[in-house]
Amino acid sequence: ETGVTQSPTHLIKTRGQQVTLRCSSQSGHNTVSWYQQALGQGPQFIFQYYREEENGRGNFPPRFSGLQFPNYSSELNVNALELDDSALYLCASSAFALSSYNEQFFGPGTRLTVL
Amino acid sequence: GNSVTQMEGPVTLSEEAFLTINCTYTATGYPSLFWYVQYPGEGLQLLLKATKADDKGSNKGFEATYRKETTSFHLEKGSVQVSDSAVYFCALNSKETSGSRLTFGEGTQLTVNP
């Protein structure tokens, strides 16, 4: 069984640029959630995708957007990068969006640095 | 809204010492509660979970009991090892009107010395 994978591992961008991060969900999972983890802090929920549609969003501006594909993989796009966007971006997959019991399985994350 | 508060860290212990990391929460309804662990340079791994009041989650010698009356989910281990050194996150998952999401605490850095 393949776990959650993310690419790239590390990324360096400059302020104002755009970035796309990718995530492949665990086999059998149809729901993907994205989290932002700033240095020394807990992860913050960005949004969740289920059946290729956004299914819940945290307190992040519209320049954070995403996609989910028919194979349940997902992308996180961030436009007009700001210095404060520097963080570890974590993707998590789960089996069913509407249950609070479901474990979310996390990928290793993408470390984004904005200069 | 939902929130999770963890005891401030970092925590430094000697091997075989007793560990407690406090966690309290605020949530509407009946959330599920989780402890995740993050080793250096890695993503989060689920350590244990409890889905209803008085449930005890346990794994690898770690335990936590869902206490609704005190809104707490404290993590304990009777005898820590050097390999337990990591950051520990308490989290809750509540079913919102559209999907479910994890709300995390700030994390507690644990260092275990030989």
Side-chain angles (χ1 to χ4, degrees), chain A residues 8-112:
Chain A
T9 305
H10 296 89
L11 205 51
I12 299 174
K13 292 285 188 179
T14 56
R15 201 169 43 178
Q17 286 188 311
Q18 178 266 342
V19 69
T20 297
L21 311 181
R22 295 178 175 82
C23 170
S24 292
S25 60
Q26 184 165 310
S27 175
H29 288 180
N30 59 14
T31 302
V32 173
S33 302
W34 286 92
Y35 294 84
Q36 181 195 67
Q37 185 180 16
L39 197 61
Q41 297 185 20
Q44 299 289 318
F45 176 76
I46 303 175
F47 43 54
Q48 182 180 84
Y49 277 83
Y50 172 62
R51 292 184 174 177
E52 301 178 49
E53 292 190 0
E54 190 178 286
N55 185 49
R57 188 179 183 92
N59 189 27
F60 281 81
R63 59 189 185 83
F64 285 78
S65 63
L67 285 171
Q68 187 180 32
F69 300 99
N71 66 354
Y72 306 126
S73 65
S74 177
E75 287 182 354
L76 164 65
N77 298 290
V78 186
N79 293 322
L81 284 167
E82 301 177 358
L83 297 179
D84 284 349
D85 295 334
S86 295
L88 180 68
Y89 288 84
L90 296 166
C91 168
S93 73
S94 56
F96 182 52
L98 301 183
S99 170
S100 64
Y101 303 159
N102 280 342
E103 176 183 353
Q104 295 190 20
F105 292 79
F106 284 82
T110 294
R111 173 73 63 187
L112 172 65

Side-chain angles (χ1 to χ4, degrees), chain B residues 7 17 19 24 46 50 57 80 96:
Chain B
M7 67 182 289
L19 169 70
T24 57
L46 178 66
V80 294
E96 308 290 338

Side-chain angles (χ1 to χ4, degrees), chain B residues 10 14 27-28 47 94-95 107 109 113:
Chain B
S14 298
T28 55
L47 182 59
S94 64
K95 175 176 172 291
Q109 171 77 57
N113 295 319

Side-chain angles (χ1 to χ4, degrees), chain B residues 92-103:
Chain B
L92 67 84
N93 190 345
S94 64
K95 175 176 172 291
E96 308 290 338
T97 54
S98 59
S100 63
R101 63 188 68 182
L102 285 168
T103 300

